[in-house]
Amino acid sequence: MMRLQVLVASMEQNVTTLAEQMNLRTEAILCNQGGCVAYEEYQHRGRRVRAWTFQERGVGRNRNNALLRADGDLCLFSDEDIVYEDDYEEKILRAFEENPEADLLLFNVEAAEGRKTYENLRRKRVRWYNYGRYPTYSVCARRSALHRANVWFSLLFGGGAKYSNGEDSLFLHDCLRKGLTLYAVPVTIGYERERQGGASTWFTGYNEKFFYDRGVLYHFLYGRMAGIFALRFLLAHREQMCREIPLREAYGIMRRGIREA
């Protein structure tokens, strides 16, 4: 039987109560940032929970810290505000048994209000043209496949890093580039709790930094096609994103980010 471990990236959390808050029922590795360096280990519902606290910042670094310490067969990436269904382990193990060719499976996790980006209604292959919708907390991977392909999370993108967000898209991009097989499956394993204060900590509005950082990200994701995808992105979201900075100006900022990347 495959061993499932949940790899949790958290910020300034009480690691001794986090397993209960998330309804964890499997082994877990908690990597918490924003406190004195420490290590704790305890049993929760009969499963081992190992927790490290680091002073360093950056969500990519945090996820890599957890992945470096993982020793299970399957790694389910997670955040501190995810709450799992009681039978999530059974659902995940069954899904991998039904998809033996898959290196990564992307599950449904119900997003908080205003943050929904995807919903898997059927099983489908994830490829270069549809991978950008999925958050890291939807991903469960075979640890051996990640190590074989030498795939890790970027230290440049995401909360606490130089550029605002995008470490999840870059991770899936690198998995595809290294030849790993990804499927999205219509299996729901949990939901996202409403964040305190609403928006994600990295988000400060649709300002110049937002569009510049998005341009830098698109350079790494799409290469020579980055300008086309930038324009497509702005046209699709202009009513929401281009209220303070007009579309033409926003596109210019994204193009600058693409060039300077």
Side-chain angles (χ1 to χ4, degrees):
M1 182 177 176
M2 292 182 290
R3 285 173 58 215
L4 171 66
Q5 288 179 325
V6 183
L7 309 187
V8 182
S10 67
M11 174 70 74
E12 298 177 345
Q13 295 294 307
N14 183 342
V15 295
T16 60
T17 60
L18 191 56
E20 180 65 27
Q21 292 173 16
M22 298 178 65
N23 195 34
L24 295 178
R25 295 170 180 266
T26 56
E27 292 184 48
I29 295 175
L30 314 180
C31 283
N32 185 54
Q33 294 187 340
C36 297
V37 176
Y39 172 75
E40 297 182 50
E41 182 174 326
Y42 60 94
Q43 295 285 316
H44 180 69
R45 292 194 170 97
R47 303 296 184 95
R48 184 170 67 150
V49 176
R50 290 178 286 161
W52 283 266
T53 298
F54 303 98
Q55 291 181 326
E56 58 199 22
R57 296 298 179 103
V59 65
R61 190 183 304 276
N62 212 9
R63 295 199 192 283
N64 287 340
N65 279 333
L67 186 55
L68 280 166
R69 291 160 174 80
D71 56 7
D73 302 303
L74 300 175
C75 296
L76 175 63
F77 296 102
S78 189
D79 293 332
E80 64 196 48
D81 50 3
I82 304 301
V83 180
Y84 290 104
E85 297 185 353
D86 291 348
D87 58 349
Y88 74 92
E89 180 182 24
E90 178 185 343
K91 288 180 175 180
I92 291 172
L93 294 180
R94 186 189 310 123
F96 274 94
E97 290 172 0
E98 293 173 351
N99 296 275
E101 76 281 19
D103 296 306
L104 289 82
L105 291 179
L106 281 60
F107 293 89
N108 282 328
V109 177
E110 297 178 11
E113 187 68 28
R115 286 171 51 84
K116 185 174 181 179
T117 60
Y118 79 103
E119 182 180 8
N120 301 328
L121 299 177
R122 59 180 176 83
R123 177 184 180 271
K124 63 181 178 182
R125 185 79 177 263
V126 177
R127 299 187 185 274
W128 69 269
Y129 52 81
N130 64 353
Y131 70 89
R133 307 165 57 202
Y134 296 97
T136 308
Y137 58 71
S138 71
V139 176
C140 187
R142 298 185 193 271
R143 183 175 61 90
S144 60
L146 296 182
H147 286 184
R148 183 177 69 247
N150 193 26
V151 178
W152 301 91
F153 287 89
S154 170
L155 304 185
L156 286 175
F157 293 86
K162 181 176 181 179
Y163 302 110
S164 304
N165 73 323
E167 82 290 345
D168 41 10
S169 297
L170 278 169
F171 178 76
L172 295 178
H173 169 272
D174 289 347
C175 287
L176 290 168
R177 185 169 59 87
K178 293 293 185 68
L180 299 185
T181 303
L182 287 65
Y183 283 93
V185 291
V187 178
T188 300
I189 59 173
Y191 67 92
E192 181 187 31
R193 283 188 290 112
E194 193 72 37
R195 295 171 181 264
Q196 290 186 351
S200 178
T201 53
W202 66 264
F203 183 73
T204 57
Y206 299 112
N207 51 27
E208 182 174 351
K209 177 172 173 55
F210 173 87
F211 293 114
Y212 180 84
D213 289 0
R214 179 70 57 159
V216 175
L217 173 65
Y218 275 30
H219 163 77
F220 288 103
L221 293 180
Y222 303 117
R224 294 181 179 180
M225 299 287 288
I228 296 173
F229 276 89
L231 182 59
R232 176 176 174 268
F233 169 75
L234 289 172
L235 289 172
H237 302 285
R238 57 185 170 183
E239 290 187 6
Q240 178 185 5
M241 297 183 178
C242 298
R243 295 174 181 173
E244 296 184 12
I245 298 179
L247 187 148
R248 184 184 296 273
E249 183 180 348
Y251 182 61
I253 297 170
M254 288 190 70
R255 291 284 298 180
R256 178 160 54 88
I258 293 168
R259 288 194 307 271
E260 294 180 5

